[in-house]
Amino acid sequence: MSEIPELIKDLALILIVAGAVTLLFKKWKQPLVLGYIVAGFLVSPHMPYIMSVVDKSNIQTWADIGVMFLLFSLGLDFSFKKILKMGLSPIIAALSIIFSMMVLGTSVGHLFGWSNMDCIFLGGMLAMSSTTIIYKAFDDMGLRQQHFASLVMSVLILEDILAIVMMVLLGALASGGSPDGSQLLGSVLKIGFLLVVWFVVGIFLIPWFLRSTRRLMTNETLLVVALGLCCLMAVISSAAGFSSAFGAFVMGSILAETIESEKIIRLVEPVKSLFGAIFFVSVGMLVDPQVLVEYAIPIVVITLTIILGQSVLGSIGFLLSGQTLQKAMQCGFSMAQIGEFAFIIASMGLSMGVIADFLYPVVVAVSVITTFLTPYMIRAAVPAYEFIESHLPKNWVRRLNHLGLDTSTNEKEQSDWKKLLSSISLNTLIYFALSIAVIIIVMRFFLPITEHFMPTYWANLINCLLASVIISPFLRAMIMKKNHSDEFKNLWTSNRMNRLPLIFTILVRIMIAMMLIMYLVSRIVHLRYAALICLALIIIIAIILSRRLKHRSIYLERLFIQNLRSRDIAAQVKGQRRPLYEDHLLNRDVHIGEFLLPEDSLWAGQTLQRLQVGNRFGIHVSSILRGSQRLNIPGGSTVLFPGDRLQAIGNDEQLRLFGEALQSELHPEDPNIEQREMVLKKMLLRKDHPLVGKTLKDSGIRDFYNCMVVGIEDVNRHLDTVSANRIFREGDIIWVVGERSNLQLLGIK
């Protein structure tokens, strides 16, 4: 019999110990992440009293996969549209907290004389609060429904996103050897470019692929496809010079915009839990008690830095974002800990060999301490506010609260210029990035292939023409988009002074498109600069005038918007979200109401035409939600069923009357409910009984007596079923079910 590989033995040890420890932590109502870390310490070589993991390298590989799946799941919960809808308040808070905590953490590292890279990574670890731990603390303390908790969760989502960017920047710094401004700027621009390309291309292709294969997708195949896409993007990200975890997050955020996202989240959850557990166990394996004793003072100092820094600087960040002093302190005190991303950043630094070995166990120890203190910090926020309020001058408190007036709900009308310029900038950025991506792909991958089969000139010519054809719809959309928008027309007609700047916005976009065309033309023929400009301008004019390209660019944009909105549309169809057109109705004192048809409603089984709800109440039934079906604009012949959810359009008074009628027009309760009991009785058919000589079908026992014959007793006292054509005879013993009053009509007492 073959020997079991060491990896299987190590996994068995890890999972058994992790399962036992996390059960205890679950009983003690502590975060499971801490249980995994403790389990990792128990199976590490630093704990000699029990078995230890033998092959650390294989476990580390599994842990890297765990990081990848953790960030993939984070991407599935993330939505670019959700971030855009948050407004400016969470963005201000997140940026101010991250910046201030990074500076504070870096300063503390320099205070102990650590290396520059150790200090930078320490600052990155201290800047990230733990989403998992804070969410669980809010849940355990019953605070999830409070307003400050929702503010904290919004900032944590942004922190998680910025942590991905920080990991990429730290990786670039680590590979470069020393912090350099131009290198950082180049990394940021590269991240932005790749994010735009990956996201736009992903929204084009992946929803289309899932929609085309939806009928073939089982849970098993969907899981395999989702994890395959995750790993594919991880490979692409690594090839582009970024971490595999970054690519996994990007793929998760793309899949988050698809209809299948909720199903994928459910399917991936067990996989993420397994590999995530292995990752956190590997974190615990690096905890060395001797290091903790040796670095006890830095651990205490860093812990105090997080507690005081988040309490003070975090509160200031929320105060600057537009919150009152009390709410800002509640938010700041809630974020006084570090968690998952600190481990991931430390693991990355350790694997790249740019941070010292002692930093990992120090950060783990700090995380454990701050995690245990999290509930106490949340509770301490209100007493701390009351202490400050009672000791500060009244006018100071008033000014702080005035500074923190919540402006997030004060939605001001954006000017036409602001709307137009932001839209033009976004469109230009997206289409320019897509055009650059197409040119890079064609020149880097297709050009070398064609050069094997033909001379360099002809290969250049073919590939430049191919790139020009592909990017031509993008160039036309970049130049012409928003030139006929309402904002553009309003600015053009309202003031003559606006016309020159408006023309300038078009010229800038034409110049950007010409630069791309000039680059492609210059690879084919060497022309003078003036001739090159003229040729590029002619090509751009031809692109603008082409109606075929116009239709193509409009089709591509509509396809992208449809894919981007597919999840929202599915939620509206299923009744999980109100239709988008409701916002336009609100401006006209009309809105949509949703009503449930009661089970005992008199309307059940009736058609809309017979009910005359439009004439009676003045409302319009726009949709009927029935199970997983949605009936839009139901006609008069549509029959209502119990449990239907009716979406009706009307004003407040009309909808109120409709709802009252729907709830009041019910079948009355039966006052003689006790007499509705069904009983089973047997009856001997005598010669003069009206059933004798008739078949069951002709007897009318159901129609006239409202009873049912369930069988005829034979000589062995067994019941035989009765066929519809069986004739009742004298002496038959029949068993009948019915209400007592109806049985009495049959002569059964």
Side-chain angles (χ1 to χ4, degrees):
M1 186 174 180
S2 60
E3 183 71 18
I4 297 178
E6 296 296 342
L7 175 62
I8 304 299
K9 296 179 181 178
D10 289 340
L11 280 178
L13 176 63
I14 286 174
L15 296 178
I16 291 297
V17 175
V21 173
T22 50
L23 285 174
L24 291 175
F25 272 65
K26 188 75 173 177
K27 182 179 180 181
W28 297 333
K29 297 183 179 179
Q30 297 300 322
L32 295 184
V33 172
L34 295 181
Y36 292 135
I37 294 173
V38 172
F41 171 72
L42 293 176
V43 299
S44 69
H46 305 299
M47 189 68 178
Y49 304 107
I50 61 175
M51 293 176 61
S52 301
V53 169
V54 176
D55 193 345
K56 283 187 178 180
S57 59
N58 279 333
I59 298 301
Q60 187 58 47
T61 302
W62 284 53
D64 293 339
I65 297 174
V67 173
M68 189 173 67
F69 286 149
L70 280 172
L71 292 182
F72 178 61
S73 298
L74 177 64
L76 287 170
D77 289 327
F78 167 75
S79 171
F80 286 97
K81 294 178 290 184
K82 188 187 297 183
I83 296 297
L84 294 175
K85 292 177 182 177
M86 284 181 180
L88 203 58
S89 178
I91 297 176
I92 294 173
L95 291 176
S96 59
I97 291 171
I98 290 175
F99 176 77
S100 57
M101 290 302 298
M102 281 198 70
V103 172
L104 192 60
T106 305
S107 302
V108 169
H110 283 299
L111 182 67
F112 290 112
W114 296 345
S115 68
N116 286 337
M117 203 57 70
D118 285 341
C119 295
I120 293 172
F121 270 78
L122 179 64
M125 295 177 221
L126 267 58
M128 297 298 149
S129 298
S130 172
T131 305
T132 304
I133 293 169
I134 294 176
Y135 184 87
K136 186 181 185 306
F138 284 157
D139 198 27
D140 292 342
M141 300 172 70
L143 300 175
R144 277 179 53 192
Q145 305 304 323
Q146 295 196 12
H147 184 232
F148 87 90
S150 64
L151 291 172
V152 172
M153 296 309 297
S154 299
V155 171
L156 288 172
I157 291 173
L158 286 170
E159 281 195 354
D160 290 344
I161 306 310
L162 293 173
I164 305 296
V165 179
M166 184 186 298
M167 287 172 56
V168 177
L169 294 178
L170 289 174
L173 276 176
S175 60
S178 61
D180 180 68
S182 60
Q183 187 184 23
L184 278 177
L185 180 61
S187 298
V188 171
L189 293 176
K190 189 176 181 182
I191 292 171
F193 172 75
L194 290 176
L195 276 177
V196 170
V197 173
W198 287 345
F199 184 71
V200 174
V201 173
I203 291 298
F204 265 113
L205 297 180
I206 292 177
W208 168 81
F209 169 73
L210 293 177
R211 186 164 53 247
S212 303
T213 58
R214 190 167 292 157
R215 293 185 178 180
L216 304 175
M217 284 285 187
T218 62
N219 288 344
E220 180 181 355
T221 53
L222 183 60
L223 174 62
V224 172
V225 168
L227 295 181
L229 291 172
C230 168
C231 295
L232 173 63
M233 186 58 80
V235 172
I236 294 174
S237 177
S238 298
F242 301 114
S243 67
S244 59
F246 177 64
F249 170 80
V250 171
M251 180 52 66
S253 63
I254 294 173
L255 289 173
E257 305 299 339
T258 65
I259 296 176
E260 290 79 5
S261 59
E262 294 181 1
K263 185 183 290 185
I264 293 174
I265 291 173
R266 291 196 303 270
L267 294 174
V268 170
E269 183 66 27
V271 181
K272 180 205 76 171
S273 299
L274 173 62
F275 285 98
I278 295 174
F279 166 70
F280 289 117
V281 168
S282 70
V283 170
M285 289 170 60
L286 294 174
V287 176
D288 188 348
Q290 293 182 354
V291 173
L292 300 183
V293 173
E294 183 180 353
Y295 289 88
I297 294 177
I299 290 173
V300 173
V301 172
I302 294 173
T303 301
L304 293 176
T305 300
I306 293 172
I307 293 174
L308 297 177
Q310 287 286 10
S311 301
V312 177
L313 299 176
S315 298
I316 293 174
F318 279 100
L319 197 64
L320 293 175
S321 71
Q323 310 305 322
T324 61
L325 179 59
Q326 179 178 353
K327 197 173 293 182
M329 291 184 67
Q330 286 179 297
C331 295
F333 277 59
S334 300
M335 300 181 66
Q337 80 290 118
I338 57 174
E340 309 84 49
F341 267 108
F343 305 146
I344 295 173
I345 293 172
S347 177
M348 182 183 72
L350 202 61
S351 63
M352 298 181 73
V354 295
I355 64 173
D357 293 340
F358 70 85
L359 195 55
Y360 205 131
V362 166
V363 169
V364 172
V366 171
S367 174
V368 172
I369 296 171
T370 54
T371 297
F372 280 116
L373 294 177
T374 295
Y376 302 102
M377 291 297 298
I378 296 174
R379 293 191 186 99
V382 175
Y385 166 74
E386 293 173 348
F387 176 82
I388 292 176
E389 186 182 32
S390 61
H391 287 76
L392 281 180
K394 297 295 182 184
N395 58 336
W396 286 28
V397 177
R398 193 181 307 112
R399 287 179 182 176
L400 287 173
N401 283 320
H402 180 71
L403 177 67
L405 286 176
D406 194 352
T407 58
S408 61
T409 56
N410 297 330
E411 298 180 0
K412 297 180 179 179
E413 287 281 332
Q414 287 184 321
S415 66
D416 287 338
W417 267 116
K418 189 173 182 180
K419 290 181 181 178
L420 182 64
L421 291 177
S422 60
S423 300
I424 288 176
S425 301
L426 181 62
N427 287 328
T428 304
L429 173 65
I430 291 174
Y431 289 118
F432 180 75
L434 287 175
S435 301
I436 292 292
V438 169
I439 293 173
I440 290 174
I441 292 172
V442 170
M443 296 305 170
R444 183 168 293 182
F445 297 102
F446 289 94
L447 181 59
I449 296 174
T450 52
E451 284 180 335
H452 284 292
F453 302 100
M454 60 186 68
T456 302
Y457 172 79
W458 290 105
N460 265 317
L461 176 63
I462 292 174
N463 284 279
C464 288
L465 290 176
L466 175 64
S468 301
V469 170
I470 296 175
I471 69 173
S472 55
F474 302 149
L475 298 182
R476 191 190 188 284
M478 181 172 62
I479 296 171
M480 301 302 295
K481 187 69 178 172
K482 293 298 178 180
N483 293 346
H484 301 286
S485 63
D486 293 337
E487 296 85 5
F488 194 99
K489 293 177 182 177
N490 292 339
L491 291 169
W492 185 272
T493 57
S494 63
N495 191 343
R496 290 179 179 270
M497 298 295 292
N498 290 332
R499 295 185 179 181
L500 188 59
L502 289 172
I503 294 174
F504 181 73
T505 61
I506 300 175
L507 292 176
V508 169
R509 287 176 280 164
I510 290 176
M511 290 174 60
I512 294 173
M514 286 178 60
M515 289 170 54
L516 296 172
I517 295 297
M518 288 167 62
Y519 169 76
L520 291 174
V521 172
S522 65
R523 292 186 64 93
I524 306 173
V525 292
H526 296 286
L527 300 175
R528 291 186 176 182
Y529 197 66
L532 195 61
I533 293 176
C534 292
L535 182 58
L537 186 60
I538 292 171
I539 295 174
I540 292 297
I541 293 173
I543 289 175
I544 293 174
L545 296 178
S546 173
R547 298 190 64 84
R548 184 183 183 89
L549 285 179
K550 175 183 178 181
H551 296 312
R552 185 65 180 170
S553 62
I554 292 174
Y555 167 77
L556 291 174
E557 184 173 344
R558 287 178 177 173
L559 178 62
F560 175 79
I561 294 174
Q562 177 186 342
N563 290 341
L564 189 62
R565 294 184 58 242
S566 60
R567 185 179 181 183
D568 293 337
I569 294 172
Q572 293 174 37
V573 171
K574 295 176 182 178
Q576 299 169 352
R577 184 174 298 179
R578 294 296 182 88
L580 293 178
Y581 65 78
E582 184 179 17
D583 293 336
H584 301 286
L585 295 175
L586 290 173
N587 298 330
R588 292 158 177 79
D589 196 29
V590 176
H591 62 97
I592 298 175
E594 188 169 297
F595 306 89
L596 180 66
L597 191 69
E599 294 183 356
D600 52 353
S601 174
L602 291 172
W603 296 12
Q606 304 291 330
T607 63
L608 290 175
Q609 183 178 12
R610 185 170 181 179
L611 292 171
Q612 294 290 310
V613 293
N615 294 335
R616 291 172 60 189
F617 309 105
I619 59 96
H620 302 280
V621 178
S622 60
S623 301
I624 299 176
L625 304 176
R626 181 176 298 157
S628 60
Q629 295 182 328
R630 183 185 184 95
L631 307 177
N632 288 325
I633 320 299
S637 60
T638 302
V639 180
L640 300 182
F641 292 92
D644 282 351
R645 286 186 290 160
L646 311 179
Q647 289 187 343
I649 300 175
N651 58 33
D652 289 337
E653 182 63 18
Q654 292 169 341
L655 293 175
R656 182 185 66 82
L657 294 174
F658 177 73
E660 290 178 353
L662 189 67
Q663 296 299 325
S664 60
E665 297 184 15
L666 308 173
H667 288 284
E669 292 187 8
D670 192 346
N672 302 314
I673 189 68
E674 295 84 0
Q675 299 178 15
R676 297 291 177 260
E677 181 187 12
M678 297 278 287
V679 294
L680 175 66
K681 295 283 186 178
K682 70 175 180 178
M683 178 178 64
L684 176 64
L685 295 183
R686 303 185 183 277
K687 183 178 181 180
D688 56 348
H689 197 278
L691 294 181
V692 174
K694 297 180 180 179
T695 62
L696 178 62
K697 181 173 62 176
D698 299 330
S699 65
I701 196 167
R702 279 180 177 266
D703 299 330
F704 299 119
Y705 299 102
N706 200 27
C707 295
M708 179 177 66
V709 177
V710 296
I712 295 182
E713 188 176 305
D714 59 16
V715 293
N716 296 320
R717 306 192 70 180
H718 294 156
L719 283 181
D720 295 329
T721 56
V722 183
S723 66
N725 297 319
R726 204 276 192 185
I727 299 174
F728 291 112
R729 303 182 182 87
E730 180 184 357
D732 284 343
I733 300 176
I734 63 175
W735 288 80
V736 186
V737 171
E739 297 178 8
R740 293 183 184 276
S741 57
N742 294 325
L743 292 175
Q744 289 176 0
L745 294 177
L746 271 173
I748 303 175
K749 297 182 180 179

